[in-house]
Amino acid sequence: RNNTMKKLMVAAVAATMASVSMADVSIKGDAFFSFANKDTGVAASANGNRDRSRMRLFVSGKSGATTVTGIIRNNGDTGIENSDFDGKKSLHMDQLFLTTKLGDVNVKAGDFRGTVGLGAWSFAGAKKNALSVSTKVGGVKVGMFTADGSDTNGTSGSNSTNVSVAGKVSGATVKAVHNPNSEWTNLSVSGKFNGLSVGAEHHKDSTSGATQKVTLLHVGGKAGNFGWDVARYTNKDAAAGSNAIWAPLGSMLVGASARGGTDTAAANAGDFSKILGVAVNTKVAGNTVKAIYTKSTIGAADKVTGAELILTRNVSGGKLTANLAKLSDHDTAATNGTNKGIRFDVKF
């Protein structure tokens, strides 16, 4: 009997110690699995049946004011699909960084991904050996960011050091980011006004000697049982990078970089010089149904039309998405067609 009591006491102490040691450690994650039949795309070699999967684990440990975060992910292939684990096909450390507070200064350092503005110019760009510091001065957040390559000549465009100012103005979040060496400035505004969601981004870049501009305007709201969004995007002289996104409408035809990879996309957002689109969504029998129509220009002069139908439903602890994405009026007839996809996302 005494031995039994001792064992129970040891087990209780061990359980207590385990809970204490794990109290400041967090593990969570997400994953998606998708399949697409692709008839159209600017890169014709990418057409055909496509399958994609990704899993990410977010592991963080906290000690006092300091948190260390590692984001572990695969890059689509498993050992069953490809036994060659080079090229990040196996699980690998995608991001590793720490955040801490030194007095009133917030610090983030390491290898991480970051978005400038609303992502119309650069979304989730890789930041190597990066350092970000910020603090608040009278309700205004001021910051400085620098990363690997910041000691290079600014005319190469690789000098990443920039300064930023952000704050609230009449309920809207306003942010300005400026890189004095690479000579670019990004201005963004987002907020809600009288029930309307409003977002705007303007990026001006003089790195190459010629002025390049990216502009995004978005307004969204509700009318009865319907939600609606209207957005306009201009990308002068192909200023946007391959990782730019056009997020306001939730398009699965424009922007292959969105959602961790969208195989029904005909082209990256940065391949378009102009996009004008409208989206309408509503609930039908537990499903969210969205229709999107776009008038766009690929490159300098190739005018195209996009039509999309997207259905999403919460099921089995995740979200199921099915979509049709049709591209029309492209100068190359073979590029016109309809992409079809199905995708399942889950968070855990």
Side-chain angles (χ1 to χ4, degrees), residues 119-292:
W121 176 65
S122 177
F123 173 79
K127 313 297 182 181
K128 180 181 177 183
N129 297 329
L131 172 66
S132 174
V133 295
S134 65
T135 190
K136 280 195 172 182
V137 180
V140 176
K141 184 179 179 180
V142 295
M144 185 277 291
F145 169 87
T146 190
D148 191 47
S150 290
D151 57 348
T152 60
N153 190 331
T155 58
S156 69
S158 60
N159 193 314
S160 61
T161 303
N162 61 62
V163 293
S164 62
V165 180
K168 293 280 189 180
V169 179
S170 299
T173 299
V174 180
K175 185 173 184 178
V177 185
H178 178 63
N179 185 316
N181 293 297
S182 293
E183 299 180 29
W184 60 258
T185 301
N186 186 283
L187 304 174
S188 62
V189 180
S190 60
K192 285 197 172 185
F193 305 90
N194 298 321
L196 296 179
S197 296
V198 178
E201 178 179 350
H202 179 71
H203 184 89
K204 183 178 179 181
D205 192 337
S206 303
T207 303
S208 62
T211 300
Q212 299 176 314
K213 296 179 181 179
V214 176
T215 302
L216 169 69
L217 298 172
H218 166 235
V219 179
K222 292 201 70 174
N225 294 325
F226 292 87
W228 59 270
D229 294 274
V230 178
R232 183 176 184 269
Y233 172 83
T234 58
N235 178 24
K236 185 178 182 290
D237 299 324
S242 61
N243 65 322
I245 62 168
W246 189 61
L249 303 189
S251 173
M252 299 184 77
L253 179 67
V254 178
S257 297
R259 301 175 181 84
T262 304
D263 283 324
T264 56
N268 287 318
D271 294 328
F272 292 82
S273 56
K274 294 180 182 178
I275 307 172
L276 177 63
V278 58
V280 179
N281 68 82
T282 191
K283 294 276 190 180
V284 179
N287 305 299
T288 299
V289 180
K290 175 181 285 189
I292 303 174

Side-chain angles (χ1 to χ4, degrees), residues 95-113:
Q95 302 178 57
L96 179 61
F97 57 89
L98 68 81
T99 56
T100 192
K101 198 170 180 68
L102 302 176
D104 293 329
V105 179
N106 298 299
V107 179
K108 183 176 183 179
D111 295 339
F112 52 86
R113 298 184 182 276

